Amino acid sequence: MPVVPEVPAHGGAQDDDRGAVRTGGPLFRDEAPRPPGAQPPQQQPQPQPYAAQPQPYDPRQPQPYAAQAQAQPYAAQAPAQPQPYDTQHPRPYGIPSHPQPYEIPRQHQQSHPQPYEAPQPHPQPRPYDTPQTPPFPQAAAQNPEPMPDAPQPAPAPQKKSAGRDLGAAIGVGLGLGVVIVASLFIVKAVFVGVIAVAVVVGLWELTSRLQERKDIKAPLVPLAVGGAAMVVAGYVRDAEGAWVAMALTTLAVLVWRMTQPPEGYLKDVTAGVFAAFYVPFLATFVAMMLTADDGPYRVLTFLILTVVSDTGAYAVGWRFGRNKLAPRISPGKTREGLFGAIAFAMVAGALCTQFLIDDGVWWQGLVIGLAVAASATLGDLGESMIKRDLGIKDMGTLLPGHGGIMDRLDSLLPTAPVVWLLLVLFVGSA
């Protein structure tokens, strides 16, 4: 039979279990059996959820979730009220439209503290919000980058354009040439009338553009009357008549402008004197060339050299032009075009002087051609300078493909006194 230990008497050591051994195993599940003579483990004090000491708030450190519960007791939080039924966004009845975040029970807050996320004033951008990464894979597939080794299509060569309607320009030019040549060789007075009409139209275009773009009111009536009289005086009385008509036209401009308010008087009369000298006075030298015995051929030589100079500059510059001549004034003109104008004008000058001018020699034509190329280019640049200042492309729209009358007179006007002077020096004025 097994030996049973004696049971101590009442009042002995039965109430003190420090030295006794329990035969029935541990009383609780988490209590491990102790060997005989071992001291019982000291009981750790259980943490109290409401006994935690408040810590000072540090915005740089995340706060545990229990701190929020400490500031707001669990019992003070009211249950969420159910929201009314939303017809636009139906939800089951009783589920709030803005559900509250899950709250950890108080008995687990101390053992499982949750960090408190403080609101950030500027949220950090998420990876898919950055411009380097597209939000969806489909967005990256829409614009695939070409492979570096893939052959790229060569750009189509751009065809050079003249910038104008060449068909209309050639047709209008031929029509004007027929009128000028017919009037030049039939009746000289008719050609003088053609010059006077061109002068009046040119003055109208110039004064209209000045008033529209710069608010400069040059008096047109005295300019038109004085310009036509200037051309007739140059044909009848030669250079003396041209200078007298120029002086009287200037005086008429000064007096005519006095009938208006004095504001802007100086700029208006200055523009009027400039217009009188630039258009009718320079055109008077064409009428003075016509007074010679071979006057029609002198005028024809003047017209041929000017047209050939412009044509040579255009053809050579369009085909071989690389270096700009005056990019700030006329971007279309090139140095190669200037050389083409000189070459074409010198050849045409030698031929015209030898076969059209009485007592003319071919080398004189070379000098005249060189001077015509220089004066025509400077006249074209001067007209372009005026149009750049006014902010326009053409002075008018009267001539399709050419612009206005002034757009055709730009190289003729400054060339007329040059040709007249050289012909007088070489062959005389008779």
Side-chain angles (χ1 to χ4, degrees):
M1 294 180 63
V3 178
V4 179
E6 296 181 356
V7 181
H10 179 73
Q14 72 273 13
D15 296 334
D16 189 5
D17 57 353
R18 289 177 294 180
V21 179
R22 299 180 180 177
T23 58
L27 183 59
F28 302 99
R29 294 182 180 180
D30 55 351
E31 183 179 355
R34 294 192 302 270
Q39 298 293 332
Q42 298 182 359
Q43 298 181 359
Q44 299 293 334
Q46 296 293 333
Q48 300 296 331
Y50 295 98
Q53 297 296 331
Q55 298 295 333
Y57 176 73
D58 188 357
R60 296 172 299 179
Q61 300 293 333
Q63 300 296 326
Y65 193 86
Q68 182 179 3
Q70 185 177 12
Q72 298 180 359
Y74 185 83
Q77 299 181 359
Q81 299 293 333
Q83 300 295 332
Y85 185 73
D86 191 356
T87 58
Q88 298 181 356
H89 304 282
R91 293 181 300 271
Y93 182 79
I95 298 179
S97 59
H98 302 283
Q100 300 295 331
Y102 175 73
E103 297 182 358
I104 302 177
R106 290 184 299 172
Q107 59 270 19
H108 298 288
Q109 290 178 1
Q110 191 69 17
S111 59
H112 302 283
Q114 299 293 333
Y116 172 74
E117 296 182 0
Q120 298 181 2
H122 300 284
Q124 298 295 330
R126 291 172 292 183
Y128 56 82
D129 291 335
T130 57
Q132 292 80 3
T133 306
F136 300 102
Q138 294 80 0
Q142 292 178 359
N143 299 321
E145 296 183 358
M147 300 298 294
D149 298 335
Q152 299 295 333
Q158 297 182 355
K159 185 179 180 181
K160 291 185 177 181
S161 175
R164 296 183 183 273
D165 188 356
L166 291 181
I170 295 174
V172 172
L174 292 177
L176 291 176
V178 171
V179 173
I180 291 174
V181 172
S183 62
L184 183 62
F185 286 95
I186 294 176
V187 180
K188 292 183 179 180
V190 176
F191 183 74
V192 174
V194 172
I195 298 175
V197 171
V199 164
V200 172
V201 176
L203 287 171
W204 170 72
E205 291 180 349
L206 180 59
T207 55
S208 299
R209 302 295 89 77
L210 290 175
Q211 184 174 358
E212 292 174 359
R213 309 299 297 184
K214 296 293 184 179
D215 196 21
I216 299 177
K217 301 177 182 179
L220 179 60
V221 174
L223 286 175
V225 176
M230 204 179 302
V231 173
V232 175
Y235 176 73
V236 175
R237 300 293 299 178
D238 204 58
E240 294 179 359
W243 280 111
V244 172
M246 176 66 189
L248 293 177
T249 303
T250 302
L251 181 60
V253 169
L254 295 175
V255 175
W256 189 278
R257 182 58 181 79
M258 291 180 182
T259 60
Q260 300 178 4
E263 290 78 13
Y265 177 82
L266 182 60
K267 66 177 183 179
D268 292 344
V269 298
T270 303
V273 174
F274 164 74
F277 176 82
Y278 181 53
V279 182
F281 182 76
L282 295 181
T284 305
F285 288 92
V286 182
M288 289 191 294
M289 279 189 287
L290 193 61
T291 60
D293 295 338
D294 57 348
Y297 293 99
R298 294 192 182 192
V299 174
L300 182 62
T301 300
F302 153 72
L303 295 175
I304 290 176
L305 293 183
T306 307
V307 173
V308 167
S309 174
D310 292 344
T311 305
Y314 169 78
V316 176
W318 180 79
R319 182 63 180 87
F320 303 102
R322 295 295 182 273
N323 301 312
K324 301 296 183 181
L325 179 63
R328 298 184 60 182
I329 302 176
S330 181
K333 288 183 173 49
T334 60
R335 300 176 184 177
E336 293 81 3
L338 177 60
F339 295 148
I342 294 174
F344 278 58
M346 291 181 69
V347 173
L351 296 175
C352 292
T353 306
Q354 184 69 33
F355 297 103
L356 296 180
I357 305 300
D358 295 342
D359 301 331
V361 185
W362 64 269
W363 65 267
Q364 297 172 350
L366 295 178
V367 177
I368 295 174
L370 178 61
V372 167
S375 61
T377 303
L378 291 177
D380 199 355
L381 291 176
E383 181 76 8
S384 299
M385 195 74 171
I386 296 174
K387 291 188 289 187
R388 290 289 182 273
D389 187 21
L390 297 179
I392 58 178
K393 182 180 179 181
D394 295 324
M395 281 291 186
T397 58
L398 187 61
L399 303 177
H402 293 271
I405 291 291
M406 286 300 300
D407 296 306
R408 293 299 91 199
L409 298 179
D410 53 358
S411 57
L412 292 172
L413 291 176
T415 306
V418 174
V419 175
W420 174 84
L421 178 61
L422 291 177
L423 288 177
V424 169
L425 292 177
F426 289 149
V427 298
S429 60

